[in-house]
Amino acid sequence: MSGMRLTFAEIYIKNFEANVRAIKKFVKPGVKICCSVKADAYGHGAVTCAKAAVKCGADFLAVATVGEGIELREAKIKAPILLLSYCSPSEMADLVKFNITPFVGDEEYIGFIERAVQKAFKARNAANAKLTKNAAAKKFAVHLAVDSGMGRVGCLPCDAAALAKRISSSKYLTLGGMCTHFASADGTAARDRSYAKKQRDAFVAAVESVKACGIKPGIVHASASAALMDKVEWQFDMVRPGIILYGYYPDKITAKYLRAKKTPLELKPVMALVTGISALRPFAKGMSVSYGSTWTASKNTTIGVLPIGYADGLLRRQAGTLKVSVGGKLYPIRGRICMDQCMVDLGSAKGIKRFDRAVIFGPKESGALLTADDLAADAGTISYEILTCVGKRVERVYVK
Ligand SMILES: *Cc1c(COP(=O)(O)O)cnc(C)c1O
């Protein structure tokens, strides 16, 4: 193994496990949990997080791409996997091969999936005549997505019954579940609430229309992090937490809001983005820093060079506002953030040594004084983006 950079991400897997357990305790008894580990588990490492989630009682995992699903299967993860986005025709054979369950929402896409399943089953049968009976008997599950107002994946509620019939009359497919996704469950304004309620009602009507045809809807699920916490009565058969697994609350559905509602759910941030001081540079008044020389020392100071830049997940637009924690104190980043480095103003740098640890964000135990939410608020984005922007070259180190 090669040595380690000063820049890495610590993953406090115990915090992740505590979050999964807290969510499991929070949901109504019998409600299944589908843990979203898409985008490399929001930057935390999909395989490690998926394994930890299953260990702590996750029933399903969710991914956004077929490749993400294959990664889990190749790591010997056996849990059912949902594919939340539509895939390309060239990926469909792998859906079947790796037993990844797609969301479907229109006749054409169902047809594509059906042909892929038919082809895979035929190939399987040809390869092993003995398996013919089993292979033919086992249908491939799909979940019928209902677009109740997100405008993304799924059928209109009025088309759900016809599509459910189409699926359940197929020789190759079976209806494993029905689902929807809320567009504004993370808001508390009257407009957000009424929109979410409208979506919920449209979804329930779609599920009822399927049942009215004598078709079992399978596992009914709708709520991601925000709705599962705020709308306990909308948990249905399964919930699909994502961001809360990683210790962050979605927008207005915060720890404080939930405590006030007397339905507390306490979460712990999982990732710390860590770097170190690669050099300490005495700076005389008048010296400037980084591209464009946008910052000039107005008095003598000490500049620390940090080997972390926007290719590692800092946002270039945070130059001027970003602060870094060193030895339990926050110091400001000066000048533009480069691709691979940035500079921090350490003042007198009293008690600070070369190679000392500097923490961008993370849980308190990492030495961080900021969270991904603080960075997000500063950058006008959400914790999701801060976490998933942490670069591929940033090694993930799992802290026991
Ligand atoms: C990403 C995603 C989730 C998880 O969302 P969070 O807000 O992170 O909880 C659930 N369902 C679908 C369809 C998604 O795309």
Side-chain angles (χ1 to χ4, degrees):
M1 218 186 98
S2 61
M4 226 177 85
R5 286 179 72 195
L6 285 174
T7 299
F8 55 92
E10 285 178 339
I11 308 298
Y12 291 76
I13 202 75
K14 277 221 170 77
N15 291 3
F16 177 85
E17 293 175 358
N19 294 338
V20 177
R21 292 200 173 101
I23 296 161
K24 236 187 127 62
K25 244 179 91 181
F26 183 89
V27 299
K28 291 187 292 185
V31 172
K32 288 183 162 55
I33 300 200
C34 172
C35 289
S36 173
V37 294
K38 61 191 179 187
D40 200 27
Y42 295 43
H44 296 65
V47 168
T48 308
C49 289
K51 285 185 173 167
V54 170
K55 187 183 97 179
C56 297
D59 302 280
F60 274 70
L61 300 165
V63 297
T65 72
V66 178
E68 289 174 353
I70 294 173
E71 187 190 4
L72 301 182
R73 289 288 181 244
E74 286 182 339
K76 307 256 181 306
I77 292 168
K78 303 275 193 293
I81 298 175
L82 291 182
L83 179 69
L84 303 172
S85 314
Y86 295 136
C87 67
S88 82
S90 70
E91 295 175 298
M92 289 175 181
D94 280 339
L95 272 185
V96 189
K97 183 174 168 195
F98 292 95
N99 194 24
I100 298 165
T101 306
F103 281 12
V104 300
D106 64 83
E107 180 88 43
E108 184 183 40
Y109 192 75
I110 292 168
F112 272 114
I113 300 284
E114 185 177 52
R115 281 192 291 283
V117 177
Q118 181 180 14
K119 225 172 125 183
F121 281 12
K122 271 197 180 137
R124 220 177 272 175
N125 294 349
N128 190 344
K130 276 188 197 157
L131 277 180
T132 307
K133 238 179 124 191
N134 286 340
K138 203 161 180 302
K139 291 185 178 187
F140 186 73
V142 298
H143 284 212
L144 178 60
V146 178
D147 176 15
S148 58
M150 176 67 185
R152 194 169 69 176
V153 164
C155 64
L156 293 179
C158 60
D159 295 329
L163 290 174
K165 269 189 213 158
R166 166 73 180 80
I167 293 163
S168 57
S169 61
S170 164
K171 241 175 96 179
Y172 300 98
L173 304 177
T174 175
L175 184 60
M178 279 186 75
C179 53
T180 196
H181 191 57
F182 295 114
S184 54
D186 57 354
T188 50
R191 182 181 175 275
D192 299 322
R193 288 189 178 281
S194 66
Y195 197 81
K197 173 75 165 60
K198 221 176 73 185
Q199 279 197 266
R200 179 259 174 211
D201 292 347
F203 176 58
V204 168
V207 173
E208 290 308 319
S209 75
V210 168
K211 284 184 185 163
C213 300
I215 299 169
K216 288 202 178 83
I219 300 167
V220 175
H221 52 109
S223 298
S225 297
L228 85 85
M229 294 190 294
D230 195 26
K231 313 279 199 297
V232 175
E233 62 288 5
W234 301 0
Q235 290 175 352
F236 301 105
D237 300 328
M238 183 161 79
V239 292
R240 302 188 306 266
I243 194 70
I244 56 177
L245 299 168
Y246 310 100
Y248 289 96
Y249 296 85
D251 202 20
K252 300 286 190 287
I253 314 303
T254 60
K256 200 174 148 211
Y257 168 85
L258 292 167
R259 267 181 240 132
K261 263 186 77 181
K262 304 231 179 327
T263 54
L265 177 57
E266 302 298 331
L267 303 169
K268 299 172 178 175
V270 177
M271 183 196 291
L273 183 56
V274 180
T275 186
I277 298 164
S278 58
L280 279 167
R281 312 265 328 270
F283 252 54
K285 177 180 172 181
M287 286 173 73
S288 65
V289 143
S290 197
Y291 293 116
S293 309
T294 56
W295 182 84
T296 302
S298 59
K299 56 180 194 274
N300 293 350
T301 188
T302 312
I303 290 291
V305 180
L306 304 175
I308 185 170
Y310 56 78
D312 298 299
L314 297 186
L315 301 180
R316 192 173 175 277
R317 64 180 185 275
Q318 291 196 285
T321 51
L322 189 63
K323 290 187 171 71
V324 178
S325 162
V326 182
K329 256 185 83 178
L330 282 176
Y331 297 92
I333 296 293
R334 300 296 195 199
R336 290 198 181 137
I337 294 171
C338 310
M339 184 187 288
D340 318 301
Q341 305 184 77
C342 62
M343 276 60 82
V344 58
D345 190 349
L346 297 168
S348 70
K350 206 167 161 269
I352 298 175
K353 301 184 310 297
R354 187 173 208 159
F355 305 133
D356 271 359
R357 177 181 169 104
V359 189
I360 309 291
F361 68 82
K364 282 205 178 68
E365 59 268 37
S366 70
L369 293 169
L370 300 174
T371 65
D373 269 339
D374 295 321
L375 268 74
D378 178 53
T381 183
I382 53 178
S383 59
Y384 299 68
E385 192 182 9
I386 299 292
L387 296 172
T388 55
C389 275
V390 172
K392 188 177 166 187
R393 72 182 184 192
V394 176
E395 196 182 325
R396 272 62 172 178
V397 176
Y398 294 92
V399 182
K400 285 276 182 284

